[in-house]
Amino acid sequence: MNTLFGEKKEGATKIVLTKVDEYPEAPISLGTTLSNFTGDWRTFIPVIDDSKCVKCYICWKFCPEPAIYIREDGYVAVDYDYCKGCGICANECPTNAITMEKEEK
Amino acid sequence: MEYKPIRKVVSGNYAAAYAVKHARVEVVAAYPITPQTSIIEKIAEFLANGEVENLQYVPVESEHSAMAATIGASATGARAFTATSAQGLALMHEMLHWAAGARLPIVMVDVNRAMAPPWSVWDDQTDSLAQRDTGWMQFYAENNQEVYDGVLMSFKVAEKVNVPAMVIESAFILSHTYDVVEMIPQELVDEFLPPREPLYTLTDFDNPKAIGALATPNDYYEFRYKLAKAHEEAKKVIKEVGKEFGERFGRDYSQMIELYRTDDADFVFMGMGSLMGTVKQAVDILREEGYKVGAAKVRWFRPFPSEELYELAKNVEGIAVLDRNYSFGMEGILFTEAKGVLYNTDAKPLMKNYIVGLGGRDFTVDDVRKIAENMKAIIEKGELDVEVDWYHLKR
Ligand code: SF4
Ligand code: SF4
């Protein structure tokens, strides 16, 4: 698994606790950030227009979650398990290749 | 090894510092504030003289940082300590929640001091009681011996239930007054208080963990419940540890409320901290004068000893609650708690609140006698004159 380039992150499962006894005694993380599916929080969703993208990877650098990854062809894509819809990528993209659209659930 | 105490004449603050040394504390965050300063000064002296090993002494720039440093240290698995007073404790308030919420068994001494303004450095319990809901346990010491014993026991209890604990002593009345304290030889303290076994540590590099992460409404509630349960569990552990302390060292702390001559008492004085020493002395004198009175000293305010209070309240006609503190817009804080515990029970003694000793105002045996006369009169009449009595007021 390459967590920086080339592919979507794999192998992470979302941890869902359904009974109080399953909780740890102290509030600590039960997994890495990969198991924290911040994609649940999203209202807006980034949509990338490859024709405007100049592969500068500013969006990849600024994204606060492990949500943007770089595809084999060099363009960027979004891992929707983690994209929380904050819009930082759209705001930072120098060519306005990313737009935030209201997500239909 | 047979137990032979080492007797030293020390101030309450030095008693605390010796307990920190004997507990083999690994990290002390130090920030001076009157009247707490001599605790951290004494610990610095131990360090300078090579009397303590493996102690990291962290001078910080504020009380907020002191608590933050202590939290960081405790999260690595270290036994950590700090001390403060009044405005300093208030400045720590935000961090106190982080310590308890993260279930870090820190022990801190708070030297009870009045909150400003008007500026005051004298004894008053409002500073510690204002931290009631932070999730910390609270032990109120009556004398220097209880400061020393309290710190040692608090580490043991805190580390068993993973909840931080405050040991509270009176400004000047204990902090700067010298008294004989029986200290425990190091080897026996080591047996009583073995090294800490942390629930988790930040330095477990094979299993990295994050603490203080976000919990959504889906999870926060359960963590609060876990902390609530830990306080329930602490009641049991406090009694066990207090009993063990008594068996090992002769001073029994198995009661969360220390009862003094209450067996056949018509009414009792209830309160916390050093003022209860005065009350016990007054009880002896009043007994000779024919009053059937006793004293109930609340040692642990959090967790609150509700069951013990109920047992006491069933058997007395009146309780005079002495509060060296005040919650504005209401009444003395212990008074509210005590009435609250008894509301849904069949124990209904007459309860009256006496606000005493705020800002270090002297509280004497004679004051206890006047309160006894007043309590006797209202019990005979069967009703209260006033519920909350600003006892010392210059009228
Ligand atoms: S919206 Fe925020 S989280 Fe989603 S890809 Fe853009 S920067 Fe990352
Ligand atoms: S910031 Fe815009 S241009 Fe740069 S890689 Fe991302 S989408 Fe492409």
Side-chain angles (χ1 to χ4, degrees):
Chain A
M1 183 174 72
N2 184 335
T3 53
L4 297 182
F5 292 98
E7 60 196 80
K8 180 182 186 314
K9 284 144 277 306
E10 275 162 19
T13 41
K14 181 175 170 152
I15 298 170
V16 183
L17 303 171
T18 55
K19 287 196 172 63
V20 66
D21 292 342
E22 296 167 2
Y23 281 75
E25 211 47 50
I28 51 168
S29 61
L30 288 174
T32 67
T33 46
L34 287 180
S35 54
N36 189 17
F37 279 36
T38 41
D40 291 359
W41 307 356
R42 194 171 54 232
T43 306
F44 289 93
I45 193 164
V47 176
I48 303 174
D49 180 351
D50 286 352
S51 71
K52 289 190 186 168
C53 177
V54 294
K55 302 181 181 176
C56 67
Y57 307 140
I58 288 175
C59 56
W60 170 79
K61 197 180 255 178
F62 274 79
C63 176
E65 301 297 336
I68 292 188
Y69 63 101
I70 300 163
R71 298 193 317 234
E72 258 161 38
D73 61 8
Y75 288 102
V76 291
V78 178
D79 184 339
Y80 291 110
D81 282 346
Y82 301 103
C83 170
K84 64 185 177 189
C86 67
I88 291 174
C89 54
N91 195 55
E92 296 297 334
C93 174
T95 64
N96 294 324
I98 307 177
T99 47
M100 300 300 293
E101 290 176 15
K102 186 99 190 272
E103 185 176 20
E104 304 292 332
K105 296 228 170 162
Chain B
M1 187 179 157
E2 200 202 331
Y3 172 50
K4 249 183 93 206
I6 302 157
R7 292 194 177 83
K8 277 190 203 301
V9 177
V10 289
S11 67
N13 279 356
Y14 283 6
Y18 274 100
V20 168
K21 177 184 166 187
H22 292 159
R24 296 194 190 274
V25 170
E26 293 157 298
V27 179
V28 170
Y31 189 79
I33 180 168
T34 304
Q36 170 274 128
T37 310
S38 55
I39 298 178
I40 53 158
E41 278 177 355
K42 189 70 180 170
I43 295 169
E45 191 184 306
F46 290 146
L47 194 64
N49 294 344
E51 288 180 59
V52 284
E53 293 161 26
N54 303 326
L55 173 69
Q56 299 287 317
Y57 190 85
V58 193
V60 288
E61 81 286 8
S62 77
E63 285 88 352
H64 190 273
S65 313
M67 189 39 60
T70 315
I71 287 168
S74 189
T76 68
R79 186 169 284 163
F81 174 89
T82 190
T84 193
S85 267
Q87 314 297 128
L89 182 62
L91 187 54
M92 285 181 180
H93 172 76
E94 186 240 343
M95 280 287 140
L96 298 184
H97 285 278
W98 282 94
R103 307 291 302 277
L104 299 170
I106 298 162
V107 171
M108 164 165 69
V109 168
D110 174 53
V111 184
N112 259 163
R113 167 187 141 182
M115 297 300 295
W119 199 249
S120 166
V121 294
W122 292 276
D123 187 21
D124 188 303
Q125 297 163 339
T126 310
D127 65 340
S128 52
L129 290 172
Q131 307 304 333
R132 185 188 66 175
D133 303 331
T134 54
W136 282 60
M137 298 187 284
Q138 294 196 347
F139 174 92
Y140 285 80
E142 178 196 321
N143 49 41
N144 296 358
Q145 183 69 60
E146 290 194 358
V147 174
Y148 177 83
D149 296 347
V151 170
L152 294 180
M153 281 187 288
S154 290
F155 269 117
K156 182 144 178 163
V157 174
E159 289 172 12
K160 274 182 190 274
V161 294
N162 293 290
V163 177
M166 261 178 231
V167 176
I168 295 143
E169 56 161 314
S170 310
F172 301 105
I173 296 170
L174 300 187
S175 69
H176 285 65
T177 306
Y178 282 66
D179 197 358
V180 177
V181 172
E182 287 195 352
M183 295 189 190
I184 302 163
Q186 184 67 58
E187 305 83 72
L188 294 183
V189 178
D190 292 345
E191 276 175 28
F192 172 73
L193 186 65
R196 179 182 162 200
E197 285 173 29
L199 200 53
Y200 60 87
T201 82
L202 283 183
T203 46
D204 179 2
F205 298 118
D206 295 329
N207 300 291
K209 290 174 187 66
I211 63 162
L214 180 85
T216 62
N218 202 30
D219 295 312
Y220 184 87
Y221 192 91
E222 276 66 27
F223 284 116
R224 292 295 97 171
Y225 176 79
K226 290 246 162 184
L227 182 53
K229 289 306 262 188
H231 269 262
E232 272 306 310
E233 171 71 11
K235 288 188 190 179
K236 215 178 93 224
V237 174
I238 283 167
K239 288 173 199 163
E240 284 166 9
V241 168
K243 186 162 175 278
E244 184 193 344
F245 197 91
E247 283 162 3
R248 283 177 185 265
F249 311 121
R251 289 179 296 279
D252 184 276
Y253 288 90
S254 57
Q255 292 178 325
M256 295 174 74
I257 301 179
E258 184 193 339
L259 300 177
Y260 185 74
R261 305 187 75 165
T262 57
D263 275 354
D264 61 338
D266 293 337
F267 63 93
V268 296
F269 307 97
M270 191 165 92
M272 305 191 291
S274 63
L275 69 86
M276 293 310 286
T278 306
V279 169
K280 284 196 238 168
Q281 192 191 348
V283 164
D284 287 344
I285 295 167
L286 289 166
R287 282 262 172 187
E288 276 173 29
E289 292 172 7
Y291 286 91
K292 279 166 85 179
V293 288
K297 180 178 80 186
V298 176
R299 279 198 179 112
W300 290 89
F301 178 76
R302 280 292 180 274
F304 196 79
S306 311
E307 301 78 7
E308 290 180 35
L309 174 61
Y310 170 66
E311 286 305 320
L312 168 74
K314 270 196 311 196
N315 299 313
V316 294
E317 287 172 55
I319 302 181
V321 181
L322 311 173
D323 269 308
R324 193 167 215 152
N325 61 74
Y326 192 73
S327 174
F328 295 97
M330 192 58 180
E331 58 202 5
I333 297 166
L334 181 59
F335 187 57
T336 306
E337 304 271 319
K339 280 192 305 179
V341 164
L342 299 176
Y343 183 80
N344 275 332
T345 72
D346 51 5
K348 294 273 185 282
L350 263 182
M351 292 178 73
K352 183 169 167 180
N353 192 195
Y354 298 86
I355 306 301
V356 299
L358 299 186
R361 181 71 58 91
D362 248 357
F363 181 69
T364 65
V365 167
D366 201 45
D367 294 321
V368 185
R369 177 184 286 110
K370 288 196 185 114
I371 289 171
E373 284 163 12
N374 180 245
M375 275 303 284
K376 194 166 178 236
I378 60 177
I379 286 172
E380 273 164 15
K381 208 165 165 231
E383 62 180 84
L384 293 175
D385 41 7
V386 287
E387 193 174 29
V388 183
D389 192 340
W390 281 75
Y391 171 78
H392 300 288
L393 207 61
K394 295 169 185 166
R395 286 173 222 264

